[in-house]
Amino acid sequence: MNNKEKIGTTELTFLVMSICLALFPAFGTATVINYGKNTAIISVIIGSIIGLIPLFMILYIAKFTTDKNILEVNDEKFKIFGKFMNILYFIGIVFIGFCISWQVINFTISHLLTRTSYYVVGIILFSVMSYAIAKGNEVILRSNLILTMLGSILFIFIVIFLVLKVKIDNFLPIINVKKASIISTALIVPTFMVYPLVSILCIKKDEVNDKSKYNKSIIKGYILAGITIIIFIIFIIGIYGSNMASLFTFPEYYIFKKIKAFEFISRIENIAAALIYISFFGNMASLMNFAKTCVKKALNLKNVRVINLATYILSIIVPILSIIFFKKYQHLQILKYYPIISSILLIALIINFILLFIAKKKNNLYP
């Protein structure tokens, strides 16, 4: 792989930022405000610090992915245990993709294209994404870089137009929930921010242009995501108050409604909503790319056309099944149990971390 084809550290930073952000407009922000109320800001800060624990586990595991992705490392070094961990990774990654794909499709239908079929929206959105996934890490990261740069410009304008809408009284009292709620809300935060980052472990470090800045790029992306999330929660609570904001399914979209930029532009919230899709792209493409890598390895696929077909089928079947399930069994409120079920990835991370640590101590692995 020549330098032109390698992944830049800025691209990696923005991918991590997108992965950490995307689940918040999906359902993370609503969950955090619902449980944390005014202390949601404090909970996110605490949760981001707690999230450094699984983040550093990911960085430690990534040390062993120089010329192989984590699936190959596990399969080669740990045999049956490696296959077990890879299955856990696959289940956790697909589950997160399952949830977020429904939320994005549901947001599109409920707020933007109210008369359009769920299936039409799902097929169109994920067909476009499947092309980037089929092309692999390079296209995903470079597409995400362009989108994130555009999103950053849009974000700056949103902040400028919303800052005067914030009312200090809406933050009082600063603590209006029990201490146990602050901690429990904080513990939920890493499930939205960090667990999806497992998907970057299918990127080999040899694919990165400057491997010495790999960890720094990931930590930088994580910090940028945390700051962005906190800014949005400040605006949401500051504009609507936590009690009203907790009633919104997509609170970010409702603060966009408060933007009054230019009289000749109507429904500016629909333009601002592009931020939701921009963060969604990097996250979902990374998740599905990891799932594609799992399927490719499990079925030992070699033919490029077969791999591309499998990628398209996988990219379409996940959102289609999510539509069928959530439309029929929405009363089960599976999103309410997301933090518990997504912890499958935490279990896999802990097992993987321990096995790699022991193997290194025995001099069986040299990162």
Side-chain angles (χ1 to χ4, degrees):
M1 180 179 287
N2 58 50
N3 287 334
K4 289 184 179 180
E5 295 174 335
K6 287 197 172 186
I7 297 166
T9 52
T10 302
E11 293 169 332
L12 184 60
T13 295
F14 282 155
L15 179 67
V16 171
M17 183 180 176
S18 294
I19 292 172
C20 293
L21 278 175
L23 285 167
F24 277 82
F27 47 88
T29 306
T31 302
V32 167
I33 293 176
N34 185 50
Y35 288 109
K37 303 300 181 184
N38 285 1
T39 54
I41 301 167
I42 297 173
S43 293
V44 170
I45 294 172
I46 296 172
S48 299
I49 295 171
I50 294 172
L52 290 173
I53 298 172
L55 177 65
F56 285 130
M57 282 197 289
I58 291 173
L59 293 178
Y60 181 83
I61 293 170
K63 289 168 63 177
F64 302 88
T65 61
T66 302
D67 58 347
K68 297 181 177 70
N69 62 51
I70 192 58
L71 302 171
E72 294 168 334
V73 171
N74 287 339
D75 195 39
E76 180 182 319
K77 300 296 181 182
F78 305 120
K79 308 305 178 187
I80 188 67
F81 288 107
K83 293 184 186 298
F84 173 69
M85 284 185 292
N86 290 346
I87 290 172
L88 288 182
Y89 281 142
F90 179 78
I91 293 172
I93 288 292
V94 170
F95 171 75
I96 292 177
F98 188 73
C99 290
I100 193 173
S101 60
W102 162 253
Q103 287 297 80
V104 171
I105 294 169
N106 187 39
F107 168 75
T108 304
I109 296 296
S110 59
H111 292 83
L112 304 176
L113 304 174
T114 55
R115 297 183 180 180
T116 311
S117 165
Y118 281 85
Y119 297 102
V120 170
V121 170
I123 291 172
I124 292 175
L125 281 178
F126 287 86
S127 292
V128 173
M129 183 175 297
S130 67
Y131 176 80
I133 299 169
K135 292 296 182 181
N137 293 323
E138 183 189 352
V139 172
I140 291 172
L141 271 86
R142 292 185 180 176
S143 300
N144 183 72
L145 175 64
I146 295 169
L147 290 172
T148 306
M149 290 174 68
L150 293 173
S152 299
I153 296 171
L154 183 57
F155 176 74
I156 291 170
F157 279 104
I158 289 171
V159 169
I160 292 171
F161 288 119
L162 286 179
V163 69
L164 295 178
K165 303 288 183 180
V166 174
K167 297 178 182 178
I168 301 300
D169 290 346
N170 286 335
F171 296 104
L172 302 174
I174 296 174
I175 298 176
N176 58 348
V177 295
K178 297 179 180 178
K179 291 181 180 178
S181 295
I182 298 175
I183 301 302
S184 61
T185 305
L187 291 174
I188 292 174
V189 172
T191 67
F192 300 128
M193 282 189 73
V194 188
Y195 296 178
L197 277 177
V198 167
S199 60
I200 67 170
L201 292 175
C202 73
I203 299 176
K204 303 170 187 176
K205 293 185 82 170
D206 278 348
E207 295 179 283
V208 180
N209 194 26
D210 188 350
K211 290 185 285 186
S212 64
K213 295 182 180 179
Y214 180 87
N215 287 4
K216 188 183 293 184
S217 298
I218 291 175
I219 293 171
K220 191 186 297 182
Y222 182 74
I223 292 171
L224 287 173
I227 293 171
T228 305
I229 291 163
I230 290 169
I231 290 172
F232 267 111
I233 292 177
I234 288 173
F235 277 124
I236 292 166
I237 295 176
I239 292 172
Y240 285 104
S242 59
N243 289 330
M244 179 174 288
S246 63
L247 301 175
F248 300 146
T249 306
F250 301 98
E252 287 86 352
Y253 184 75
Y254 286 93
I255 62 169
F256 296 157
K257 286 178 175 289
K258 292 291 185 177
I259 299 173
K260 300 295 181 183
F262 307 104
E263 293 299 328
F264 59 87
I265 299 179
S266 60
R267 301 300 300 271
I268 199 168
E269 66 270 17
N270 293 345
I271 299 172
L275 279 177
I276 295 174
Y277 293 99
I278 288 171
S279 63
F280 154 75
F281 172 83
N283 185 302
M284 199 66 193
S286 185
L287 293 175
M288 289 298 98
N289 188 48
F290 189 96
K292 177 197 79 173
T293 307
C294 289
V295 172
K296 178 183 172 182
K297 180 167 181 55
L299 300 180
N300 195 28
L301 300 179
K302 303 291 185 183
N303 186 282
V304 175
R305 290 185 179 180
V306 174
I307 293 171
N308 289 343
L309 178 61
T311 300
Y312 179 77
I313 293 172
L314 182 64
S315 300
I316 293 298
I317 200 169
V318 169
I320 294 301
L321 288 178
S322 73
I323 292 169
I324 294 171
F325 185 86
F326 282 111
K327 285 190 72 177
K328 188 173 183 179
Y329 301 107
Q330 200 168 359
H331 62 280
L332 293 178
Q333 295 181 310
I334 193 170
L335 295 178
K336 180 180 179 181
Y337 303 102
Y338 167 87
I340 298 172
I341 302 176
S342 66
S343 295
I344 291 171
L345 288 174
L346 179 61
I347 295 169
L349 273 178
I350 293 172
I351 296 172
N352 215 168
F353 175 84
I354 292 172
L355 288 176
L356 287 171
F357 183 79
I358 293 172
K360 182 186 176 184
K361 288 297 181 182
K362 290 182 177 180
N363 296 320
N364 291 330
L365 285 175
Y366 301 92

